[in-house]
Amino acid sequence: MHRLLLRQLRRALGVADEDALHALLAEFGKLAAQVDAHTGQALSGLGDLIARIDAAYVQSDRDLDLRTRSLELSSSELNRANDKLREELSSRTRAIASLRKTANSLLGTLGREAISEEDTGLERMSDLLANLVRQRERAENELRSALADLERQKAALDEHAIVSATDTAGRITYANDKFCHISGYQREELLGRTHALVRSDEHSDEFYRALWETIATGRVWRGEVKNRTKSHGYYWSAVTIVPFLREDGSPYQYVAIRTDITERKQIQDDLALSEEKYRRVLNNLKEVVFRVERSGRLNFLNAAWCEVSGHRVEESLGHYAAEYIAPEDRARAVDLFAATMSGTVDNPRGEFSLQASDGHIRSVEIGARAERDTDGQIIGASGVLSDITERKNWERAVLQARDAAEAANRAKSGFLANMSHEIRTPMNGILGLAGLLLDTRLDLEQRRFARLIKSSAESLLSVINDILDFSKIEAGKLSLEEIEFDLWNVAFEAARAVAYAAHGGGLEMLCQVSPEVPLRALGDPGRLRQVLLNLLGNAVKFTKAGEVALNLTSEADGDAVLVHCTVSDTGIGISAEKQKAIFEAFVQEDGSVSRRYGGTGLGLAISLRLVAMMGGQISVESTPGVGSTFHFSVRLRQPERPAINDPTPPGWAGCRCLVVDPHARARAATVQALSRWGVRCSEADSASAALGLLTAEAGAFRLIVADESVVDEDRQHLFARLPAASCRQPQRIALIRVGSPTPRPLDLDHLADACIVKPLDPHELAAALQGEQELAATLDAATPRANEQTLSVLLAEDNMVNQMVAVALLESLGHRVTVANDGSEAVNMALGDTFDIVLMDVQMPKMDGLEATVRIRAAESGTARHTWIVAMTANVMPGDREACLAAGMDSYIGKPFQRDELIAILSTAAARQPAD
């Protein structure tokens, strides 16, 4: 190529050499196939044009050569050369015109200004062609980038969506992999088919008709469609169908983009089913479930609302909830709702009166909870309304029944108190007169009759006490006191209290207390003694031969002690089917008409309740014909300073002792007590056996403990034979069987160094060994002795018999007695004279003992005087003692009182008097 032309093309088109030019022309040839015919012809002719220009340059060089040679040529030759040059120049002009035409055609397609006819510069043409080439390259790059973006978008769409395309007849022309996967069809099975292939029966023909009407008019259709898979399964998709339109607006293709929403639809179905179940449950509830807006308007109610209020749910929604509250409760309900909406109350609850549609008032209980939005702001409340009308009616009925029961109970208590007074008052006379009668000179038959009178009266009094105790327990008015007491003493006192009857029936009475049992405890000694006496009394009553035994053990229970007690006998026993029934009220082991043993049948029922109140349990083991064992336990607190329970007498360890008792278990109990102190014991069961040991081991025994029944064939007690059997006299302790039908040996009181009432108390035995105790072996050995000081006594008593008994008893004790017949007389006498003690009956005519005491205390107020006033009453119901003390009395004694109780009261009064 001509070097000048190559330089121009390099400057205009940026081609480096001829190879680059040929490559550019080849690209133009490719581009010519993609544009319209005129532009294509122009691009295709560029190569020919450049070739012609090159030829022109070559020719120009030739012409230059010719011109150079023309000087040498002839003019004819010069003319021929000029003609040829003009011809070549004309050809070049035509080529430039053709190139301009081609360039203008290309510029026209690009919307640019055309080259004018006057512009014939070859460089201008070269620059233009260079710009066109650069634009072509930029367009191709942009096209390639756009195609790449389109491919990426298509890939992303295929990853996420189910895509298909159809022609205007609905035949599938494209289906992506997701469409194939979800439908179960191969692509070849889908192409050319319509979507009827995957159509389900979910949608109506009208549904599909509306779809086609929408897309056929060039509008986009959106909706949810349920389709069928090849395996006859189903899937749901959210569908968007986009029509592709021609220039005239008519569709030529439809593209459907779907999203699988099968799982969402399943969740919606499940949620709808759950909501339906929830609504069904709510509507089946008897309670009203409600929700109120912050304004107080109802926006939800279940079906129970209609049943409770009578108002229809649809009519009630939107109304203020307070409208349905009865006027008397409405203000309270509004205040409670306001407090809930302010956040002061989070869970409001209350009982209100609801006004039903029929005008009736229903009692309802409302419980709610404040509702909050995501920001924590209170937006309303929801809760439950329960119809409690029946419950309220029942509660009113219960209250009425309770009031009636309490009234009946008060009436019963009043009746019992009155009956107690009415029965105890003459009983006091009977017992008192019987006692006074026994103190006079009587022959044997008269004494027997007097004792029967007293025994019968005491039996009747025991029945009354049982009934009163049971009534207190039933009324829940029996309370326990907690005082410090001697636990060992209570056990042995109870055993000795029934020992008289036991010994009188030929029974052995035993009582053993284990060393670990504390000496003192905190509790109610009276009630514990009552349980022991009930069980021991029953044991004696139902035992004809053998023994009755009381045993106590204990174990620590924190700061308390659990005391286990057993009462066993060798009596008639209890059948298995009756062992549980005997603890019921008014039930006895022998319930036949011809009952042999008598009694109210309340003792065990009372004991059961008392033991339970003392924190324990009671049970029985029994074999008919063999005997019974009652077990019970009580929980007692220990004093802050527990007493030392060690009765060991000093100086007796290692000494020899002979224990003589025909009863093996009684003998073993004595041996056990002595052995704990280190005393070495030998045993004998009769006087002859004892005398044999004493003769064989003369002087070996320092102590002899013998039962009063240990006598020889001449009815002489063992102790009367000792001088003949032993040169060294041992200490002698006799064990007395109070109440024994066998006459006691003569002079036993003088033969023994000490006498101890059976069952043996180790503490008394220890005291006897130390020489600190000498007990009289008489029936009333344990009876308190009357105080030797003479007291001035004012007796306020309206009953003539009781006056006679009390005066006789007081005077027999050496006291001066003044009688007041009613409370008014008692006040006048007490204030007009000085008395050491006033025995004040509580129930008297004109003025009762309580009012009389109040007046006496009022008169004494502000002075140093304080008359000792003791209440005497036959009322033993709960609160009687407290009422007496509250009135100002100093002590209390129940009717009928025992001689010992009266002596104890008088001793207390005497102790207050200054010494003479």
Side-chain angles (χ1 to χ4, degrees), residues 421-596:
H421 180 270
E422 294 303 319
I423 294 174
R424 285 172 177 271
T425 297
M427 192 64 63
N428 184 61
I430 294 171
L431 286 171
L433 290 172
L436 292 173
L437 185 60
L438 287 170
D439 288 339
T440 64
R441 292 180 176 274
L442 301 173
D443 59 30
L444 291 178
E445 187 175 19
Q446 291 171 334
R447 184 168 296 277
R448 181 163 60 89
F449 288 160
R451 285 177 176 171
L452 285 174
I453 292 172
K454 186 176 182 183
S455 174
S456 298
E458 288 173 344
S459 296
L460 181 57
L461 185 61
S462 176
V463 172
I464 295 170
N465 288 337
D466 279 351
I467 293 173
L468 291 176
D469 275 348
F470 187 74
S471 298
K472 294 176 191 176
I473 292 173
E474 287 292 294
K477 295 182 178 180
L478 185 68
S479 59
L480 300 178
E481 63 179 350
E482 187 177 81
I483 61 174
E484 185 175 343
F485 67 97
D486 188 324
L487 181 55
W488 286 58
N489 188 51
V490 168
F492 281 99
E493 275 188 0
R496 287 174 176 173
V498 298
Y500 187 94
H503 294 153
L507 305 177
E508 185 67 27
M509 184 70 231
L510 304 173
C511 180
Q512 286 184 281
V513 182
S514 295
E516 75 275 4
V517 176
L519 181 63
R520 302 189 68 78
L522 292 173
D524 192 329
R527 293 304 177 182
L528 177 59
R529 185 183 295 107
Q530 183 177 353
V531 175
L532 291 172
L533 288 174
N534 271 330
L535 297 178
L536 290 168
N538 283 343
V540 171
K541 181 166 62 174
F542 292 103
T543 303
K544 294 304 179 185
E547 64 186 37
V548 172
L550 169 63
N551 290 277
L552 269 68
T553 60
S554 69
E555 60 179 297
D557 184 19
D559 62 344
V561 61
L562 199 61
V563 180
H564 301 280
C565 307
T566 62
V567 175
S568 58
D569 62 58
T570 55
I572 63 174
I574 307 168
S575 61
E577 59 271 14
K578 290 189 176 181
Q579 287 182 18
K580 290 185 178 179
I582 60 172
F583 290 104
E584 298 176 8
F586 309 108
V587 173
Q588 290 185 318
E589 192 282 329
D590 177 15
S592 63
V593 175
S594 59
R595 285 175 18 215
R596 293 169 293 169

Side-chain angles (χ1 to χ4, degrees), residues 6 25 52 180 210 221 294 335 337 340 355 468 602-603 673 695 705 725 742 822 824-825 853 886 911:
L6 186 60
L25 291 176
R52 291 183 181 184
C180 297
W221 183 89
R294 186 177 179 86
D335 291 344
F337 182 74
T340 305
Q355 197 158 7
L468 291 176
L602 289 175
T695 302
V705 179
T742 304
D822 56 50
S824 180
E825 287 186 15
T853 301

Side-chain angles (χ1 to χ4, degrees), residues 123 159 161 182 225 251 279 326 394 407 421 501 620 626 821 852 872 885:
E123 292 183 0
E159 276 297 316
I182 197 169
V225 180
R279 186 172 295 278
W394 178 81
H421 180 270
V620 62
V626 176
N821 295 302
M872 294 190 305
L885 298 178

Side-chain angles (χ1 to χ4, degrees), residues 889-911:
M889 296 184 178
D890 298 288
S891 190
Y892 175 101
I893 185 171
K895 290 181 181 180
F897 51 78
Q898 299 295 322
R899 177 188 178 96
D900 298 348
E901 294 176 322
L902 182 59
I903 291 174
I905 288 290
L906 295 172
S907 296
T908 302

